[in-house]
Amino acid sequence: MQYKSFTPEELTPRQRHQYLLGMVNPRPICFASTINTEGVPNLAPYSFFNIFSSTPPLFIFSVSNRRDGSQKDTLSNAKATGEVVINMVNYSIARQMAICGVEYQSDINEFDKGGFTPLPSVMVKPLRVKESLVQFECKVLDIKTLGDHAGAANLITAEAVLIHVGEDIFSEDDIPDPAKLDMVGRLGNANYCRITADSVFEIHQPPANIALGFDKLSLSIRSSKILTGHNLALLAGVISLPDNEQLESFKTLMSTRQFFDQLAADKTTRMLQVHQKLKEYLDTNQTENAWMLIITAGLME
């Protein structure tokens, strides 16, 4: 692969903005509800956003200055009141959410413009969005201003003090189910993505369990023309190899004996056949069988 390389200063502000948003994604959306000192609600989306701590629960989102360098209402309100409600954006409200990104005047209520139902909060003054499945009532801990020019970022750090979650979004083991949440992520330009059941996959790699690693795979396995990076990662992600009892049981299987009996005499063809069988195992999540085949076929070194 050939790469394009450039310093941020080589790009125009527009290029820099579009490149970064188009390459760092998907990004969750902070649908921020604030209120000014006169009691006028404000509601606006921000995708420079994420959670940075669970103990305590801390969020950071960025509010950029307007094109004329002035502050947006969200920033002004957060400074004045020290409070914000972060509403998460599910698919059913995504199109309405975008309307609230329009730069309305400060006396305009975006709840009305976006067709949202305001809910009173319990521990802060800004209103919650009823249609959002997850709402975080937050206290603003810090606002870091990175400049007063157009497009300059203002990083708002907020701590959740009360969390509201739709009771139907949990799985049977009391964990939020991504398919039920149906969240939306921000991409570059006018593009968004939707988290559906079909787009979710699992990777189990507990940090405390020391994995074997790629460096422990033999050269013949690492340089395979058949096995993908994903296949190799499954092999490298194990924390232990099969024991002798498992290996002996594997060797006595009729399917194992038939496989080895049918291997070609030619070494190159034989290796390709073994790698193809390894891929079949790994593509069907039979990683233990794959390792037993590697060891039985003498491909550890």
Side-chain angles (χ1 to χ4, degrees), residues 16-178:
R16 193 162 55 241
H17 185 74
Q18 292 296 336
Y19 283 12
L20 291 174
L21 269 64
M23 293 183 289
V24 182
N25 59 65
R27 301 182 306 281
I29 301 169
C30 166
F31 202 15
S33 170
T34 57
I35 195 166
N36 67 17
T37 54
E38 297 177 354
V40 178
N42 181 267
L43 188 59
Y46 299 94
S47 69
F48 284 176
F49 159 68
N50 220 310
I51 185 168
F52 288 83
S53 168
S54 59
T55 308
L58 296 181
F59 299 91
I60 298 178
F61 66 100
S62 175
V63 180
S64 60
N65 294 337
R66 293 192 180 98
R67 281 164 289 206
D68 61 2
S70 63
Q71 292 184 5
K72 293 181 179 178
D73 295 334
T74 299
L75 178 60
S76 299
N77 294 348
K79 285 182 176 180
T81 68
E83 297 179 340
V84 61
V85 173
I86 295 175
N87 305 277
M88 301 303 294
V89 179
N90 38 286
Y91 180 75
S92 65
I93 68 171
R95 190 60 188 88
Q96 292 171 260
M97 172 272 301
I99 295 174
C100 297
V102 172
E103 294 184 359
Y104 292 109
Q105 294 297 316
S106 299
D107 60 347
I108 296 297
N109 182 344
E110 283 86 359
F111 278 87
D112 293 338
K113 290 294 184 181
F116 290 109
T117 306
L119 285 179
S121 295
V122 178
M123 299 181 68
V124 298
K125 291 182 180 178
L127 302 168
R128 296 180 284 136
V129 174
K130 180 180 181 180
E131 290 78 8
S132 172
L133 298 178
V134 181
Q135 309 138 12
F136 300 97
E137 297 187 23
C138 300
K139 295 286 187 180
V140 174
L141 299 185
D142 180 63
I143 299 177
K144 185 175 180 60
T145 297
L146 303 183
D148 57 6
H149 54 279
N154 301 274
L155 307 183
I156 299 177
T157 303
E159 178 179 355
V161 293
L162 191 61
I163 303 170
H164 306 272
V165 186
E167 60 183 12
D168 295 333
I169 64 94
F170 292 95
S171 61
E172 292 181 358
D173 52 0
D174 200 35
I175 294 175
D177 185 332

Side-chain angles (χ1 to χ4, degrees), residues 217-228 231-232 235 271 274-275 278 282 290-291 294 299-301:
L217 302 179
S218 66
L219 179 60
S220 65
I221 296 297
R222 293 201 309 270
S223 60
S224 174
K225 302 297 184 183
I226 294 175
L227 300 177
T228 66
N231 294 149
L232 296 179
L235 294 171
M271 183 70 72
V274 172
H275 282 216
L278 286 174
L282 294 167
W291 264 116
I294 288 172
L299 300 181
M300 285 293 289
E301 300 296 336

